[in-house]
Amino acid sequence: MGSNNRTILIVIAIILVGLIFIGKLFMLQVVDPSYKFSAESNTQRKLTEFAARGLIYDRNKNLVVANQATYDIMIVPREVTPFDSTKFCNLLGIDKKHLDRLFANVEYNIQRRRISTFQPSLFFKQLSAEKHTILQEHLYKFPGFFTRRRTVRKYEYPNAAHILGYVTEVNDAMIERDSYYRAGDYAGISGIENTYEKELRGEKGARYILVDVHGREKGSLRGGRMDSAAIAGKDLTISIDIDLQAYGEKIMQNKTGAIVALEPSSGEILSMVSSPTYDPSLLIGRNRSENFPVLAHDTLSPLLNRATMSSYPPGSTFKVLMALMALEEDVLDPSQRYSCIGAYYAPGVRVSCRPHYNPVNLVSSIANSCNSHFCEIFRNVIDNPKYASPSEGLSKWREYLLSYGLGERPGSDLFNETSGFLPNSYYYDRIYNNVWGSLTVLSLGIGQGEVLTTPLQMANVAATIANRGYYYTPRIIKDIEGVTIPDKFNIRHYSNVDSAHYEPVIEGMEQSILGDFGSTARIAQIPGISVCGKTGTSQNPHGENHSVFIAFAPKEDPEIAIAVFVENAGSGSSVAAPIASLIIEQYLNSEIHYTRRWVEERMLNLNINEKIAESENRVEQE
Amino acid sequence: MKRSRSKIKGTDWFTVILYLLLVTFGWMNILAANIEPNAPVSFDFSTEYTKQLIWIGISFLTIGVIYLIDSKFYAAFAGMFYIITTVMLIMVIFVGVEINAAKAWFEIAGMRFQPIELAKVSTSLMIAHTLSRTQFSFTKLQNILIAFAIIIIPLLITILQNDLGSGLVLLAIVITFFREGLSPFFIIAGIIAIIIFILTMIIPNHLIILALTAAFIIALLFYKQIKSALISLLIIAISYSLVTQVFYNDATEMSNNIGVITGIAAASLFIAARVFLKRQSHLIIYIIMLWGSIGFTYTADYIFEEMLGAYQQNRIMVMIGLKDDPHGAGYNVNQSKIAIGSGGVQGKGFMEGTQTKFDFVPEQTTDFIFCTVGEEWGFIGTSAVIIAFITLLLRLIYLSERQYSSFSRIYGYSVVSILFFHIIVNIGMTIGLAPVIGIPLPFFSYGGSALWGFTILLFIFLKLDTNRAELLR
């Protein structure tokens, strides 16, 4: 029988494997000298080479975010011998108590088996380059310690904090999620640092060295064959114009609110101001632990990016959207005249209007922001005989607004976005117990009531009108070194309104600036530039109205579209419109015309936050 | 009473002593890898060496239980065991805890337990039970399929657990099949299939097919079919040139593939015609094999490219060493080789290792425990461990061959196969000779359920061996 032969074959195979293994181990442990270094005199040490994060440039190639060197002090506990602790404290710039705390921490981690006494662990974080130079000369007196170079961010401008975001040490949850990170690594936590973390962080490297008992480097392990160099992160170019950003932040000082300016032809964000803001340098390295709680507890929430995270009623800026959908639905004749009698009256309802010439047609009703006419328009849309019920009309209304990107997250590359809110019929069924009609929800027609939008969304609406019917998803990225930007930013999103219907609306927006008495935004006139805009005054149950303005310019071939929201600043024409016009003028002309210096002056000096604080104090005293 | 004493007397003490030596030495290395000069030895339940000690105790108790049960029981209830462990394997997908992305562990009162460890035992028993039936024969295709199904079913479930590494071990039982009469053709075909599967990842399909065709033509030459071989070659060359150069007029992946296939199809028709005319029917089997391998090549390629996600593709590539992953598997092997190499001839001494402390070598007490042996005990220690393992395997083969009942023999060979696979892969990966598949070193690695499973696996055989003169089925 063949079984015996087969048994012998199996036995031979087993013995052969044993011989091969012993042979390989003989090579590894006895013959090959490269693995051999005696345990008494040398130990091997793995040093992580950190990659420098990618740099960030603005659209004009100004360097916005760079890197600066700091040094971590590392400890190999087993190699530490008694040393002059006073001297050591002086070199580090800390007191004896702090040093004791650091050592207690090391001790604790050894007991908990978090760190090894044989391998380097972080002892002291982020020593400045100057202190490091001095320490380096004395380091030989402190065996068991060595330094490791790292880079932290350096901000060239005190601006754009919300856009850039910040970098900080990774936490346990992040290490769990992404195996790239090790404790002590840095990662972008918010803003563009977070969105493009994978591109910015680069690739860590490793260096293996041999050190003697005194911690002195004795050359690289196996001739450096196992080392891998760190690969620096990719540089980013962002679409922000940093000078315009700085100008916007200066104008918005002492006010609460947001500005978003877009390039309509690409969706690139030219400037995005959220006020109050902070200097991004406050959150670098060691400063972060001191400054972050201060910012986080500030009642004005400077850490909140209002441009994408706050939603406000759009106020009368919403009327342009009402006009566009009414034209598309064919329930509005642009030449038809409507007589406003100072308010809109319907059974049980009165919506007051502002003083203006009468009667109005579509163009002048936009220019004058006539509430009465738009109540009429809104009712025509909702109660359109084409649709069986107001609830169907409302669905149609909602569909139009969705096509402008309202009611959902814009999907930009900004770190945090909120979707705003568009009520649907289900929502009103619940509130009004299924009994409601166009009159019940009339305030929607003039941008009040339940509808909520973010400044970014409204800037996008302005861009869509500027483009006569389409927009690109807003984005902050302009170029990534060696990588193409995601395809989703190159897709045109068309609104549900035919491009032919935009002209009368744009005409109205132009007249709101150029028109005569009654026009709402005459303060936004810029010599030599045809600006089209629409004011809004967004009612706010908690206090003074918010001032809102959307605009684009020039009328033909628009280069900038903008939305400005200023909280508790009153009417759109008083604050938001002049601010928007200054931003537009600054961007297109790079300077403010001398006839408009007074506008600039007034906006710079306007301190709304103080006014509100005073009024609140007064309330409290009463 | 007399009976049970004679049972213990009938035990193969040589194997038991080897087992005790391996377990003890393994535990010493787990201890050494965990000890820090500043953190003294403490036997609280959080330390690995204490937990392992408890599992060693549990294993010893289990040996007692195994010896109390009658040998006939293992043969009679093999099918039941197999079903129970299969159900456990499926259950763990739903109620198990996830470790290293694999859902393969039950957790009961803080103790983790991997059902695949028991499945190794039950699969071996099931194989022994099936193969030892008198009507079973490896010459019948149906029987071959049944035998393979028994090992493939648990294997497929481990894929669902994302723990393929542990399941692959079962394939080692093919060694037992070989001993019991499986034609070497299947083993060779299996190896070729694995090679083709790996090749599909690195070289274009049409080159693999050309290589297969070359093998086919060599086979023709072997049968002195020189004329057929040369004509086939000519047909293939002409068809290929016509398709790629004239019809497609460029050499793309698509035209290359179609060109090669057309050529082989034409050549096959030619051979088929010859077979028909000259009645050389033995050539038909080669044509079928050739087309079978071609089909397999495209299927394997399709499975790899289309059905697996990028992450799984990457894992496979790293696992078989086609892709370097300095922060993952590649890093481990490098560190492991350094640790072993640094041990030299004599090693650094017990507990004196520096490279196998804490996280320098990852998984150092589980999958990479052999590093600690290498570093602290040097070449003397590593070669001693390997000799001990080889001796154990050879001893088990000797014991298997002396069994009267084929049930015991087949089970013994399955134990040998499983242990052999673990040893090859585990030690092989630490010295860079095998791909990094995370499976433990028997009796050595930290991990209770593995030690427990190996103990059961081994001692059921030693128990069967005490009844070696009886017929069990």
Side-chain angles (χ1 to χ4, degrees):
Chain A
M1 192 175 162
S3 292
N4 277 338
N5 288 338
R6 291 190 171 193
T7 303
I8 290 166
L9 264 175
I10 294 171
V11 167
I12 290 174
I14 290 173
I15 293 174
L16 204 63
V17 166
L19 289 177
I20 290 171
F21 279 10
I22 291 175
K24 174 77 182 188
L25 283 163
F26 186 76
M27 295 302 293
L28 215 58
Q29 297 186 290
V30 183
V31 179
D32 190 344
S34 58
Y35 289 111
K36 237 154 276 55
F37 40 91
S38 84
E40 293 82 52
S41 61
N42 284 326
T43 48
Q44 167 204 337
R45 188 179 278 172
K46 181 192 173 189
L47 301 177
T48 305
E49 299 274 284
F50 292 100
R53 275 181 92 77
L55 307 178
I56 301 178
Y57 296 92
D58 87 337
R59 66 187 296 116
N60 301 319
K61 283 286 164 196
N62 295 311
L63 182 61
V64 179
V65 184
N67 294 316
Q68 57 186 338
T70 63
Y71 294 84
D72 288 344
I73 298 178
M74 308 294 290
I75 184 170
V76 182
R78 196 173 78 146
E79 292 166 4
V80 176
T81 53
F83 59 89
D84 181 354
S85 61
T86 326
K87 176 98 189 162
F88 197 60
C89 284
N90 287 341
L91 287 167
L92 261 57
I94 58 176
D95 57 14
K96 185 76 175 55
K97 260 194 199 138
H98 192 168
L99 186 70
D100 289 344
R101 256 205 324 277
L102 291 172
F103 269 107
N105 194 28
V106 169
E107 205 96 334
Y108 176 77
N109 283 333
I110 291 172
Q111 291 293 341
R112 296 285 301 272
R113 293 156 195 284
R114 284 204 191 133
I115 61 170
S116 162
T117 55
F118 295 87
Q119 299 300 334
S121 317
L122 186 61
F123 182 70
F124 183 83
K125 266 188 266 186
Q126 294 171 354
L127 193 70
S128 68
E130 302 86 62
K131 281 193 181 133
H132 173 256
T133 324
I134 306 165
L135 177 69
Q136 198 63 15
E137 288 170 27
H138 298 275
L139 206 57
Y140 70 96
K141 297 175 196 160
F142 307 104
F145 292 97
F146 68 100
T147 57
R148 176 174 80 172
R149 186 176 186 274
R150 300 210 62 170
T151 57
V152 293
R153 281 309 206 188
K154 179 162 185 271
Y155 297 97
E156 305 288 338
Y157 295 85
N159 307 113
H162 295 106
I163 298 166
L164 300 172
Y166 50 87
V167 173
T168 186
E169 223 168 271
V170 292
N171 57 29
D172 290 345
M174 294 174 71
I175 297 171
E176 190 78 11
R177 262 203 309 279
D178 187 341
S179 62
Y180 175 85
Y181 297 114
R182 295 280 178 272
D185 283 359
Y186 295 139
I189 300 297
S190 69
I192 195 151
E193 297 273 20
N194 178 285
T195 314
Y196 295 98
E197 164 69 10
K198 285 232 163 69
E199 287 77 10
L200 285 169
R201 73 185 179 190
E203 191 83 51
K204 276 182 289 196
R207 205 153 62 82
Y208 296 87
I209 57 164
L210 294 173
V211 286
D212 66 10
V213 272
H214 307 294
R216 282 182 296 237
E217 223 178 294
K218 287 288 173 194
S220 59
L221 181 69
R222 312 192 71 204
R225 262 182 292 157
M226 292 165 52
D227 298 357
S228 57
I231 301 164
K234 297 190 170 74
D235 294 348
L236 300 187
T237 305
I238 55 175
S239 59
I240 294 296
D241 179 328
I242 193 68
D243 297 323
L244 186 68
Q245 179 73 20
Y247 184 73
E249 288 180 17
K250 199 167 88 181
I251 291 276
M252 283 296 281
Q253 67 191 1
N254 300 322
K255 301 161 198 73
T256 305
I259 302 175
V260 177
L262 296 169
E263 185 178 75
S265 59
S266 63
E268 289 173 8
I269 297 170
L270 300 170
S271 164
M272 190 178 75
V273 178
S274 172
S275 184
T277 181
Y278 58 92
D279 181 347
S281 301
L282 290 176
L283 296 183
I284 301 175
R286 296 191 84 77
N287 299 334
R288 188 185 140 76
S289 49
E290 287 163 35
N291 293 328
F292 191 84
V294 178
L295 292 173
H297 290 120
D298 191 321
T299 51
L300 291 173
S301 326
L303 292 172
L304 175 72
N305 184 1
R306 290 178 160 79
T308 59
M309 288 301 288
S310 290
S311 31
Y312 308 94
S316 300
T317 56
F318 197 67
K319 287 173 182 164
V320 294
L321 293 170
M322 285 311 309
L324 286 166
M325 71 173 84
L327 289 168
E328 179 70 25
E329 286 287 288
D330 210 14
V331 294
L332 171 64
D333 175 1
S335 57
Q336 183 200 335
R337 289 171 157 245
Y338 176 87
S339 187
C340 172
I341 48 170
Y344 181 80
Y345 292 98
V349 176
R350 179 184 179 276
V351 178
S352 65
C353 193
R354 50 193 298 284
H356 56 77
Y357 282 123
N358 241 330
V360 290
N361 61 8
L362 175 59
V363 170
S364 54
S365 71
I366 291 175
N368 298 329
S369 197
C370 172
N371 282 347
S372 314
H373 193 198
F374 276 94
C375 288
E376 181 79 11
I377 292 172
F378 177 73
R379 293 195 63 189
N380 289 343
V381 170
I382 300 295
D383 297 337
N384 193 342
K386 267 203 301 200
Y387 307 117
S389 65
S391 120
E392 226 170 281
L394 191 76
S395 305
K396 197 72 197 169
W397 171 85
R398 200 163 179 275
E399 213 173 279
Y400 278 112
L401 297 176
L402 284 171
S403 78
Y404 284 90
L406 299 184
E408 52 190 30
R409 294 206 173 94
S412 73
D413 49 0
L414 294 161
F415 173 62
N416 267 333
E417 292 176 333
T418 180
S419 57
F421 182 68
L422 293 179
N424 56 17
S425 52
Y426 174 73
Y427 176 85
Y428 286 121
D429 284 347
R430 234 180 14 183
I431 293 186
Y432 298 115
N433 214 1
N434 296 327
V435 185
W436 60 273
S438 59
L439 277 179
T440 331
V441 297
L442 191 60
S443 55
L444 289 182
I446 54 170
Q448 308 292 352
E450 290 82 3
V451 61
L452 292 174
T453 58
T454 65
L456 177 62
Q457 286 174 330
M458 287 314 286
N460 196 36
V461 166
T464 315
I465 297 169
N467 286 336
R468 277 74 173 166
Y470 66 86
Y471 69 89
Y472 292 97
T473 301
R475 63 177 153 111
I476 206 86
I477 195 74
K478 197 166 165 62
D479 188 36
I480 308 169
E481 189 188 2
V483 183
T484 51
I485 60 168
D487 280 341
K488 67 169 180 178
F489 294 126
N490 296 323
I491 300 167
R492 277 187 187 187
H493 302 275
Y494 283 91
S495 73
N496 290 352
V497 176
D498 193 273
S499 63
H501 295 314
Y502 282 85
E503 287 316 322
V505 174
I506 290 170
E507 178 72 21
M509 289 173 77
E510 191 181 24
Q511 284 306 313
S512 80
I513 286 156
L514 293 180
D516 36 27
F517 162 76
S519 295
T520 50
R522 299 207 304 171
I523 196 167
Q525 276 182 36
I526 305 168
I529 300 173
S530 56
V531 182
C532 303
K534 180 73 196 80
T535 53
T537 305
S538 133
Q539 282 169 13
N540 166 21
H542 308 295
E544 192 68 34
N545 292 339
H546 301 323
S547 174
V548 188
F549 193 65
I550 64 169
F552 65 87
K555 183 184 175 193
E556 308 302 333
D557 237 339
E559 289 174 42
I560 180 169
I562 189 166
V564 177
F565 284 70
V566 186
E567 290 180 19
N568 311 112
S571 73
S573 50
S574 63
V575 180
I579 287 177
S581 71
L582 290 169
I583 301 285
I584 292 172
E585 189 173 9
Q586 178 70 28
Y587 180 65
L588 295 178
N589 290 354
S590 310
E591 60 169 354
I592 305 300
H593 195 264
Y594 67 92
T595 57
R596 284 170 43 80
R597 292 276 159 74
W598 65 274
V599 179
E600 186 182 29
E601 198 74 4
R602 201 163 83 181
M603 287 303 122
L604 280 173
N605 294 333
L606 182 64
N607 190 337
I608 291 168
N609 290 345
E610 194 179 66
K611 255 195 246 169
I612 290 167
E614 273 171 14
S615 70
E616 274 170 5
N617 281 343
R618 220 173 299 131
V619 172
E620 269 169 34
Q621 281 160 14
E622 282 163 11
Chain B
M1 197 61 209
K2 188 175 169 241
R3 196 179 144 87
S4 73
R5 196 181 305 131
S6 73
K7 281 290 159 57
I8 291 175
K9 225 183 222 169
T11 299
D12 186 57
W13 287 103
F14 185 82
T15 309
V16 174
I17 288 165
L18 265 178
Y19 164 80
L20 290 175
L21 282 176
L22 288 169
V23 169
T24 311
F25 193 47
W27 183 78
M28 280 167 67
N29 282 293
I30 294 172
L31 178 71
N34 272 289
I35 289 299
E36 273 278 337
N38 291 17
V41 182
S42 73
F43 283 93
D44 69 51
F45 292 108
S46 65
T47 55
E48 291 187 344
Y49 44 86
T50 315
K51 283 192 198 165
Q52 187 75 355
L53 210 53
I54 293 171
W55 276 105
I56 291 173
I58 294 175
S59 299
F60 287 178
L61 286 176
T62 311
I63 293 171
V65 175
I66 290 169
Y67 264 71
L68 285 177
I69 297 170
D70 195 282
S71 290
K72 290 198 179 72
F73 173 82
Y74 298 111
F77 284 88
M80 187 65 88
F81 289 152
Y82 184 75
I83 291 169
I84 291 171
T85 55
T86 307
V87 170
M88 283 166 85
L89 283 177
I90 296 171
M91 254 169 63
V92 82
I93 299 173
F94 301 104
V95 299
V97 292
E98 194 173 310
I99 292 162
N100 292 337
K103 252 196 145 183
W105 276 265
F106 285 118
E107 194 172 65
I108 303 156
M111 296 285 230
R112 287 193 188 129
F113 157 71
Q114 217 178 348
I116 185 72
E117 304 296 349
L118 275 188
K120 288 173 199 165
V121 178
S122 68
T123 307
S124 304
L125 285 171
M126 188 64 193
I127 287 291
H129 176 71
T130 310
L131 267 58
S132 61
R133 282 180 311 177
T134 41
Q135 67 270 35
F136 186 91
S137 162
F138 270 116
T139 54
K140 294 185 215 151
L141 184 65
Q142 199 192 348
N143 287 349
I144 294 175
L145 290 178
I146 289 171
F148 273 97
I150 293 170
I151 58 175
I152 296 291
I153 289 167
L155 174 63
L156 290 178
I157 302 172
T158 60
I159 294 178
L160 297 179
Q161 297 172 350
N162 202 10
D163 191 25
L164 177 60
S166 304
L168 282 176
V169 173
L170 296 172
L171 281 183
I173 296 180
V174 173
I175 297 172
T176 310
F177 294 175
F178 174 69
R179 163 62 184 81
E180 295 303 318
L182 180 70
S183 161
F185 168 79
F186 284 92
I187 293 166
I188 294 168
I191 292 169
I192 289 175
I194 292 169
I195 291 172
I196 290 179
F197 187 74
I198 293 171
L199 286 180
T200 55
M201 295 173 219
I202 30 183
I203 58 176
N205 287 341
H206 68 276
L207 291 182
I208 299 175
I209 290 163
L210 281 179
L212 290 168
T213 314
F216 171 67
I217 288 168
I218 289 167
L220 289 181
L221 290 173
F222 192 72
Y223 277 97
K224 302 228 164 59
Q225 299 284 335
I226 297 167
K227 216 193 267 173
S228 303
L230 290 179
I231 294 174
S232 303
L233 208 57
L234 201 64
I235 292 175
I236 292 169
I238 291 173
S239 312
Y240 175 76
S241 322
L242 277 176
V243 170
T244 54
Q245 300 309 315
V246 181
F247 191 69
Y248 276 98
N249 199 20
D250 67 4
T252 59
E253 201 188 321
M254 169 128 156
S255 69
N256 273 329
N257 275 304
I258 292 177
V260 171
I261 295 286
T262 318
I264 295 171
S268 303
L269 283 176
F270 162 73
I271 300 283
R274 246 183 113 82
V275 167
F276 185 72
L277 291 174
K278 299 204 165 179
R279 311 206 184 285
Q280 295 163 318
S281 57
H282 56 276
L283 291 181
I284 280 288
I285 186 83
Y286 287 96
I287 294 183
I288 293 171
M289 274 173 65
L290 178 63
W291 283 97
S293 339
I294 291 172
F296 179 78
T297 305
Y298 283 103
T299 315
D301 191 57
Y302 180 79
I303 289 173
F304 186 75
E305 298 286 343
E306 306 292 331
M307 288 169 69
L308 297 181
Y311 170 75
Q312 285 161 312
Q313 282 181 16
N314 195 37
R315 268 187 65 150
I316 293 177
M317 301 280 257
V318 172
M319 197 166 87
I320 59 176
L322 289 179
K323 217 173 179 180
D324 201 24
D325 178 12
H327 294 289
Y331 170 78
N332 296 5
V333 172
N334 241 331
Q335 289 308 313
S336 145
K337 281 160 88 174
I338 290 169
I340 294 174
S342 74
V345 179
Q346 294 181 324
K348 298 173 188 168
F350 183 43
M351 293 199 187
E352 296 296 321
T354 52
Q355 305 302 312
T356 49
K357 302 279 184 208
F358 288 81
D359 53 358
F360 228 95
V361 176
E363 309 283 332
Q364 62 199 345
T365 55
T366 52
D367 298 342
F368 284 89
I369 189 68
F370 195 69
C371 296
T372 310
V373 181
E375 193 190 8
E376 299 195 347
W377 302 88
F379 178 66
I380 295 172
T382 53
S383 46
V385 168
I386 287 171
I387 290 168
F389 273 122
I390 300 298
T391 311
L392 176 68
L393 293 175
L394 297 182
R395 180 73 187 176
L396 291 176
I397 289 178
Y398 166 74
L399 296 183
S400 302
E401 289 293 340
R402 75 178 184 183
Q403 300 301 312
Y404 175 70
S405 73
S406 50
F407 176 83
S408 308
R409 181 185 69 235
I410 295 164
Y411 180 76
Y413 265 96
S414 300
V415 175
V416 170
S417 310
I418 290 170
L419 292 180
F420 187 41
F421 187 89
H422 272 275
I423 293 162
I424 291 188
V425 172
N426 183 285
I427 297 183
M429 80 183 174
T430 60
I431 56 179
L433 287 181
V436 177
I437 302 173
I439 57 174
L441 186 60
F443 316 120
F444 256 74
S445 290
Y446 169 71
S449 67
L451 173 68
W452 190 59
F454 285 124
T455 304
I456 295 175
L457 189 70
L458 179 65
F459 278 86
I460 287 181
F461 178 61
L462 291 185
K463 167 69 183 174
L464 295 176
D465 181 55
T466 60
N467 298 99
R468 60 183 164 273
E470 295 168 28
L471 182 65
L472 301 169
R473 57 169 56 140

